[in-house]
Amino acid sequence: MSMSPQVGSPSEAQVPWLVRVVAVVFVLPFRLAWELLKVLGRAVVAYVFRPLGWLLHRLVVVPLEYLWRNLVARPFGYLWRHLLRPALEFLGYYLVVVPLRFAWHHVLRPLWHYLVEIPLVFLWRRCLVPLAELLWRPVLWVLTQLYRYLLRPGWLGAGWLLHQVYRFTLRPIGLALGWVWRHTVVPVGRAVQGCWRWLRQAVLTPAADLVRAMFRG
């Protein structure tokens, strides 16, 4: 059994039309008012604020800049270059540099000399130098004993050992190699050289001459 729709409730086909009606009635006026305000704002900016700004720039800013440049900046620059800066340099030299130089030469430097340099020199000459000499003497004695009883005998022993090694090993080996060289390599080299000379003079040279003569004929 189907239920009939209630009286007074909008159907599904009528809902979009209702939304459109609500949008047209409530949203469209606000949108039109916003667009109108934007157009009015652009017009006010273009035809009121820009001309007013240009007018203020020409009537206020430009004269103020001219007055500042010619009545403040240039006179102050001239005064600074020709009066204030020389005056400050003069005062700085005679109120700062000269007193500091006088204080250094006549107060600080003598104080440094008598309170620092002289005590340091006295401490070095009377305390540190004797202490260094007192400490250096035992060290020097120890180094001398090490050299006398350890380093020098070790050096002499190493030299004697190297001399014995050379005398009984390297020198005999060198003499033996020299004898072998003189009695084997040198005679063999001389024999090979004599054979090559004989072969070249008795065989190779005549054969080459015979071949050249045959090709020429």
Side-chain angles (χ1 to χ4, degrees), residues 87-123:
L88 291 177
E89 291 177 353
F90 178 82
L91 293 176
Y93 179 78
Y94 286 100
L95 294 180
V96 178
V97 177
V98 173
L100 287 178
R101 185 181 298 172
F102 179 84
W104 167 252
H105 286 289
H106 297 283
V107 178
L108 297 177
R109 190 173 180 180
L111 289 176
W112 173 265
H113 178 70
Y114 288 105
L115 296 180
V116 178
E117 290 182 355
I118 292 179
L120 286 178
V121 172
F122 178 81
L123 180 65

Side-chain angles (χ1 to χ4, degrees), residues 150-165:
L150 183 62
L151 297 179
R152 188 170 181 275
W155 180 259
L156 295 176
W160 179 84
L161 181 61
L162 292 176
H163 179 71
Q164 300 303 318
V165 169

